[in-house]
Amino acid sequence: AKDIITAENVHLYYGQKEALHGISLGFPEKEITALIGPSGSGKSTFIRTLNRMSDLNPEVTVTGAIRLDGEDIYSPKTDTVELRKRVGMVFQQPNPFPFSVYDNVTYGLRLSGIKDKALLDQRVEESLKQAAVWDETKDHLKENALSFSGGQQQRICIARVLAVQPEIILLDEPTSALDPVSSAKVEDSLLAIKDQFTIAVVTHNMQQASRISDQTAFFLDGNLVEFSKTVDMFTHP
Ligand code: ADP
Ligand code: ADP
């Protein structure tokens, strides 16, 4: 598959301190890329450069280029709100908004001015199904998202991102705060949606990387030290 987003010689500085030392990496369309490496190796810092979440910290400087469909997202003409709809993000700690599941999942669509009830309903059903939290009775739609278990909250957060139909979904340690059964469900939902979305996932869990990813990038001290197909990285001759 062709790369939909590519990092080219990306350096990132927190103030004077360089935290990424020239990362070049492509994300093939509709594949899952796992970013692995020890704590402090730069995985989270790097994934945040891909939708310019890193810009939210005024101390941060990024050099190099990140191209989405060939366009440099660090160009001054980039609309970061639009960018973050195309490149959605899920965080380690499930963070649903304190209102109903329906209002969570439709949040981004309503911000974009979509009012058509039938369309909103359709996107809600579609994305909750994709994230494996759809309930045929629809009872859960009215419930406060915070009343669900951690694993369900995380899948509601995934549905919230899917609803705006991004091209790329970034997940930063999405299962670290979850128990093994909930983690497995999140993994299953990622595998179920990978034919429709390009996915980048930070994990410190090698088994998880080997179970779900097509390619794996190994970070160490702000460098990309190994990058290959996951089957090759985890198969020892
Ligand atoms: P990982 O996700 O692999 O655990 P991080 O990207 O969180 O690694 O951290 C990479 C390096 O950047 C570490 O040395 C960390 O201390 C540093 N770092 C992360 N966030 C900040 C920040 N907001 N300000 C300064 N340094 C930071
Ligand atoms: P804050 O009030 O913490 O500055 P924001 O208004 O930036 O938060 O975002 C509120 C919530 O929206 C975040 O906690 C996160 O759940 C979600 N969010 C923010 N940016 C993104 C993004 N790029 N993709 C997906 N969800 C996001």
Side-chain angles (χ1 to χ4, degrees), residues 148-191:
F148 291 84
S149 72
Q152 288 167 324
Q153 288 187 23
Q154 191 62 303
R155 300 202 314 284
I156 291 165
C157 292
I158 292 173
R160 181 174 67 188
V161 170
L162 297 181
V164 299
Q165 301 185 322
E167 290 154 74
I168 301 160
I169 300 164
L170 311 175
L171 303 101
D172 191 354
E173 303 244 15
T175 63
S176 299
L178 306 181
D179 64 80
V181 172
S182 301
S183 297
K185 286 186 181 158
V186 169
E187 288 183 14
D188 288 346
S189 77
L190 295 181
L191 288 170

Side-chain angles (χ1 to χ4, degrees), residues 175-210:
T175 63
S176 299
L178 306 181
D179 64 80
V181 172
S182 301
S183 297
K185 286 186 181 158
V186 169
E187 288 183 14
D188 288 346
S189 77
L190 295 181
L191 288 170
I193 60 173
K194 70 168 256 198
D195 57 340
Q196 297 164 70
F197 300 97
T198 302
I199 297 174
V201 55
V202 169
T203 178
H204 61 254
N205 181 333
M206 302 273 203
Q207 282 80 25
Q208 178 169 78
S210 76

